[in-house]
Amino acid sequence: MGIEKHGRLEIDENFQHHVRNWRIKRVGWAVMALLIAAALAGLLGPGPYSETSAEGPSGLHIEYQRIARYHAPAHFNLKVPGGKEDLEISVASKFVKEIALEHIDPEPKEMRLNGDRHTWIFPRQESSSEVMIHYRPEAFGKKQIRLEVKGAGTLEIQQFVMP
Amino acid sequence: MDSILRGVAVYVFLLIIFRVAGKRTLSQTTTFDLVLLLIISETTQQAMVDDDHSLTNGILLITTLVGMTILLSVLKQKFPKLDMALEGTPLILIDQGKLLRDRMDKCRVDESEILSAARMTQGLVAMDQIQYAILERNGDISIIPKGEK
């Protein structure tokens, strides 16, 4: 940083640096606008792009977020067909380990461990019903989640957890 | 480890965003700017602390933030180019009585701000009394009146 002389004034202005800086600032503003646009679109967490659903075999339906955030609320809405036997939903224990489970609505009447899978058991209704699993991700990155519903099949979804 | 990484990430992000926003953005704290700063600090705090309200976490975060500041000041001392990139350099806005409008536009300073600085720091009343006006690295405007030797 050399000291320049402007008349009597001694100053380390370096005008070229300012010109460069103004250009970088414009790029920075564009990046900020893009970041906000992406967030509004749901590319960085809850929003239109993130909210999605998947269909499984025999009437299984799940609503979930493609993109969730670390320690922020997330949920699955699982629609299951009606039946006579108890409803058994299971997920890999690894998934349960990587989340803080907030609550399941309705509350399961029983929880069971089957090897490396967690199983929640609900009293079954004749008509189709909805189970909501509320949780907060405790690890970030791409997650492959497999939900098994006994007698109805398996749903495989992907979720990306932002840091 | 988590909180230290979070602290570093937040520090670097704030450094970048305030650099991109420009020196003038929050240099003159109006009441609204003050409220904005408080909101930013609250948001920052939540992102850094997360759920860990332990004393250990607090101590670690403060150490990280102060440590980053010390590290940066050492690096800035060692590498003048880094200092220039992070802190910028002063910019002449009035050169020997002549207003440099394109520069003023680029850094969002208008005549009334220069006049206000002239009144407050030098007790000047008119533009033609100003020899030099300089936007300093900290975002303040310094005024050198005409006829000063």
Side-chain angles (χ1 to χ4, degrees), chain A residues 1 6-9 11-15 17-18 20-22 24-26 28-29 32 35 70-71, chain B residues 2 17 19-20 22 50-51 83-84 88-92 95-96 103 106 108 131-132 134 148-149:
Chain A
M1 276 194 288
H6 283 256
R8 291 182 296 123
L9 184 69
I11 193 167
D12 56 337
E13 186 185 47
N14 194 340
F15 186 63
H17 173 75
H18 284 282
R20 231 181 0 252
N21 235 334
W22 290 326
I24 294 170
K25 254 179 218 168
R26 288 282 186 280
W29 293 352
M32 282 165 77
L35 202 70
Y70 181 72
H71 276 195
Chain B
D2 234 28
I17 199 139
R19 198 71 191 88
V20 166
D50 200 15
D51 283 340
D83 184 34
M84 200 165 78
T89 53
L91 180 70
I92 302 173
D95 191 6
Q96 302 182 57
R103 295 180 177 204
K106 282 271 172 30
R108 289 167 284 153
Q131 174 86 337
Y132 293 104
I134 299 134
E148 195 136 297
K149 297 280 165 207

Side-chain angles (χ1 to χ4, degrees), chain A:
Chain A
M1 276 194 288
I3 305 288
E4 305 152 25
K5 262 198 132 197
H6 283 256
R8 291 182 296 123
L9 184 69
E10 290 177 4
I11 193 167
D12 56 337
E13 186 185 47
N14 194 340
F15 186 63
Q16 273 314 307
H17 173 75
H18 284 282
V19 175
R20 231 181 0 252
N21 235 334
W22 290 326
R23 230 171 279 149
I24 294 170
K25 254 179 218 168
R26 288 282 186 280
V27 176
W29 293 352
V31 171
M32 282 165 77
L34 279 177
L35 202 70
I36 289 169
L40 287 174
L43 293 167
L44 304 175
Y49 173 76
S50 174
E51 296 295 333
T52 187
S53 61
E55 299 284 340
S58 45
L60 268 183
H61 179 89
I62 187 168
E63 285 165 19
Y64 67 101
Q65 293 87 46
R66 266 195 202 109
I67 295 155
R69 287 185 196 150
Y70 181 72
H71 276 195
H75 67 273
F76 298 142
N77 260 10
L78 187 65
K79 283 194 186 112
V80 286
K84 290 228 158 27
E85 283 175 35
D86 278 351
L87 170 65
E88 290 188 20
I89 300 172
S90 71
V91 291
S93 302
K94 186 173 176 279
F95 169 69
V96 182
K97 248 190 248 169
E98 289 181 343
I99 60 164
L101 191 61
E102 300 246 289
H103 64 274
I104 300 176
D105 198 16
E107 254 184 52
K109 67 169 189 179
E110 204 184 321
M111 263 187 261
R112 214 180 283 154
L113 275 169
N114 289 338
D116 62 347
R117 296 190 74 77
H118 266 63
T119 306
W120 297 300
I121 300 162
F122 306 84
R124 193 58 162 274
Q125 286 174 359
E126 295 277 328
S127 56
S128 71
S129 44
E130 214 172 337
V131 176
M132 276 167 281
I133 301 167
H134 296 267
Y135 64 97
R136 283 171 195 263
E138 296 247 280
F140 39 81
K142 199 172 164 187
K143 310 279 166 219
Q144 193 93 23
I145 305 156
R146 238 170 84 101
L147 285 136
E148 267 178 38
V149 179
K150 196 182 167 190
T154 307
L155 271 168
E156 197 141 7
I157 56 171
Q158 278 187 4
Q159 188 172 55
F160 187 85
V161 180
M162 301 286 295

Side-chain angles (χ1 to χ4, degrees), chain B residues 14 18 26 33 35-45:
Chain B
L14 287 178
F18 280 108
L26 290 173
D33 289 342
V35 174
L36 190 66
L37 276 175
L38 288 175
I39 298 170
I40 292 173
S41 71
E42 176 76 5
T43 314
T44 310
Q45 181 246 333

